[in-house]
Amino acid sequence: MKKKLDRLLNQAYLVLSEQQKNQLVDFVNLLDKWNKAYNLTSVRNPDEMLVKHIMDSLVVSPYLVGEKFIDVGTGPGLPGIPLAIANPDKQFVLLDSLGKRIRFIQQVLLQLGIKNVEPIQSRVEEYTESQFDGILSRAFASLNDMVEWCYHLPNKTGCFYALKGIYSPDEIEHIQQPISLCNVISLDVPELIGERHLVILRKNNEEIH
């Protein structure tokens, strides 16, 4: 699996240390092990997890601006854990409403020695902390839902980072809150079939000129 990860990282032009690569492989092994009992992901094959979960998360890394991020609806820690491993200088809150997912993440942090992640069990609308540089999610069905439920989370210059499959410009028009579209990036995930996009949005703040 390590050889496959090396190949995928090279294809994506991502450079990680041996320790980071080992942590990613160990994360996949833990996800595979726990998945049998807790049904954390529909992806059953560890090699597929490398592509559909690890690389699908890591390709976002070069676009993250800031130090404090929250991964909303993180599930088993995606994209939060791979991004935290790749960015030890940044802090990540991983938010999910299901206890079994948070327990899994706690076990991952313990076993892999990850220090820059705080897992929290909560519904996003009940989580009142704010002032994040970035709000990450690949769980929301629509951009409007993501913005609506997470509008209280970013700081004045913070951004929403929505990991999407197919991107439709119509989605932007349906967002109810005052928002600016910063960028839509077409992501190239090695060996993944299908489109992937990163949609970056920002709240409309009068302070920004």
Side-chain angles (χ1 to χ4, degrees):
M1 200 191 301
K2 182 86 176 299
K3 284 182 181 176
K4 175 159 186 172
L5 178 60
D6 278 333
R7 188 176 74 248
L8 292 169
L9 288 170
N10 286 336
Q11 287 175 266
Y13 304 104
L14 293 170
V15 179
L16 297 179
S17 69
E18 288 305 305
Q19 182 192 0
Q20 288 169 316
K21 292 175 192 174
N22 288 333
Q23 285 178 314
L24 289 168
V25 169
D26 289 345
F27 174 53
V28 170
N29 286 329
L30 279 171
L31 186 53
D32 181 47
K33 179 181 171 185
W34 277 59
N35 204 35
K36 292 176 174 70
Y38 291 91
N39 197 29
L40 297 167
T41 168
S42 60
V43 181
R44 298 292 175 193
N45 182 311
D47 278 350
E48 272 190 68
M49 289 179 187
L50 274 182
V51 174
K52 293 182 177 177
H53 289 333
I54 303 302
M55 295 307 301
D56 193 49
S57 299
L58 288 178
V59 290
V60 175
S61 186
Y63 305 103
L64 299 183
V65 177
E67 296 176 0
K68 192 178 178 188
F69 295 84
I70 181 166
D71 177 10
V72 177
T74 187
L78 298 163
I81 290 207
L83 288 173
I85 289 171
N87 297 276
D89 56 327
K90 301 183 191 299
Q91 298 298 313
F92 292 84
V93 170
L94 271 54
L95 193 74
D96 203 275
S97 59
L98 270 190
K100 68 177 182 179
R101 294 171 181 163
I102 295 299
R103 285 192 295 276
F104 169 70
I105 291 167
Q106 288 168 335
Q107 189 64 29
V108 168
L109 302 181
L110 188 68
Q111 288 194 226
L112 304 192
I114 298 171
K115 306 294 186 191
N116 59 330
V117 170
E118 180 186 4
I120 291 178
Q121 183 180 347
S122 172
R123 293 167 60 87
V124 64
E125 54 268 42
E126 294 164 4
Y127 183 69
T128 54
E129 293 289 321
S130 61
Q131 302 308 302
F132 289 95
D133 296 313
I135 289 74
L136 293 152
S137 184
R138 61 176 213 160
F140 283 101
S142 75
L143 291 176
N144 182 56
D145 284 349
M146 180 184 182
V147 172
E148 193 69 38
W149 294 345
C150 304
Y151 203 71
H152 60 292
L153 296 175
N155 58 31
K156 284 181 181 176
T157 58
C159 291
F160 299 91
Y161 296 87
L163 285 71
K164 303 280 293 178
I166 295 169
Y167 165 70
S168 168
D170 295 348
E171 276 201 72
I172 302 295
E173 295 169 20
H174 293 139
I175 296 174
Q176 303 296 311
Q177 298 282 8
I179 208 89
S180 297
L181 175 63
C182 300
N183 208 347
V184 179
I185 298 154
S186 182
L187 300 170
D188 185 14
V189 183
E191 297 187 20
L192 184 72
I193 297 167
E195 293 181 38
R196 298 299 287 160
H197 292 88
L198 176 64
V199 183
I200 304 177
L201 305 163
R202 181 176 281 162
K203 285 167 79 167
N204 280 345
N205 291 305
E206 291 176 7
E207 293 85 354
I208 298 175
H209 297 291

